[in-house]
Amino acid sequence: QVQLVESGGGSVQAGGSLRLSCAASGYTISRKCMAWFRQPPGKEREGVATIVAAGRTTYYADSVKGRFTISQDNAKNTVYLQMNDLKPEDTAMYYCATDPYIYSCSTSIPSGRFGYWGQGTQVTVSS
C-alpha cells in the first residue's frame, strides 16, 4: 500500500523559510515522478515542482522559480521542498503526489494524472 506523508508546514512571516518533507512507504521514489502541488483557499490545485530521474531533472512553476528547491533522498525515500523568501501568496495546502505511470514529469502535468497523494500540510505566510 502506497502512503505519502507530508510534514514541515507551519506559519511564517513573509521572507521566511520552510522545508516540507514527503516520506513515502510501500513505494520506491527513485526513478519515479514526484511532485509538490498546492491549493490556495478557494482556488484550484496547481503544480509547484517536480523531480525525477534520481533527482537530476526538476521543474518549477514560474511563481516559485529561484525561491523553491525540490530534492530527494533515495536512502530515506523522501522528497523535500525547500521554500525560501516566502510570500503571502504562497499560502496554501501543500500536497505531495506521485504516479508510477508518468514518464515525462513536469509541472504541466494535470493533478488528475497522479494516482497517489498525501494528506497535505498547511503553509501560511503572513505579511
Side-chain angles (χ1 to χ4, degrees), residues 26-28 33-34 40 44-45 51 69 76-77 84 92 102-103 111-112:
Y27 186 86
T28 302
C33 177
M34 302 297 298
E44 292 187 355
R45 197 168 294 189
I51 188 168
T69 303
K76 295 183 178 180
N77 217 33
N84 298 328
I102 293 176
Y103 302 110
S111 60

Side-chain angles (χ1 to χ4, degrees), residues 16-105:
S17 298
L18 285 172
R19 188 177 82 154
L20 306 183
S21 299
C22 171
S25 59
Y27 186 86
T28 302
I29 68 169
S30 62
R31 303 192 190 94
K32 302 295 197 307
C33 177
M34 302 297 298
W36 284 100
F37 283 79
R38 68 184 180 186
Q39 188 164 16
K43 296 185 179 181
E44 292 187 355
R45 197 168 294 189
E46 61 177 353
V48 174
T50 60
I51 188 168
V52 72
R56 289 191 291 271
T57 304
T58 58
Y59 289 93
Y60 297 93
D62 288 343
S63 58
V64 307
K65 281 181 182 176
R67 300 188 298 122
F68 291 11
T69 303
I70 189 170
S71 62
Q72 64 185 66
D73 184 332
N74 291 334
K76 295 183 178 180
N77 217 33
T78 299
V79 178
Y80 303 98
L81 186 68
Q82 178 67 43
M83 306 186 295
N84 298 328
D85 190 24
L86 283 161
K87 303 177 180 181
E89 52 264 42
D90 294 319
T91 294
M93 185 71 79
Y94 283 72
Y95 298 91
C96 177
T98 187
D99 194 282
Y101 299 110
I102 293 176
Y103 302 110
S104 182
C105 186

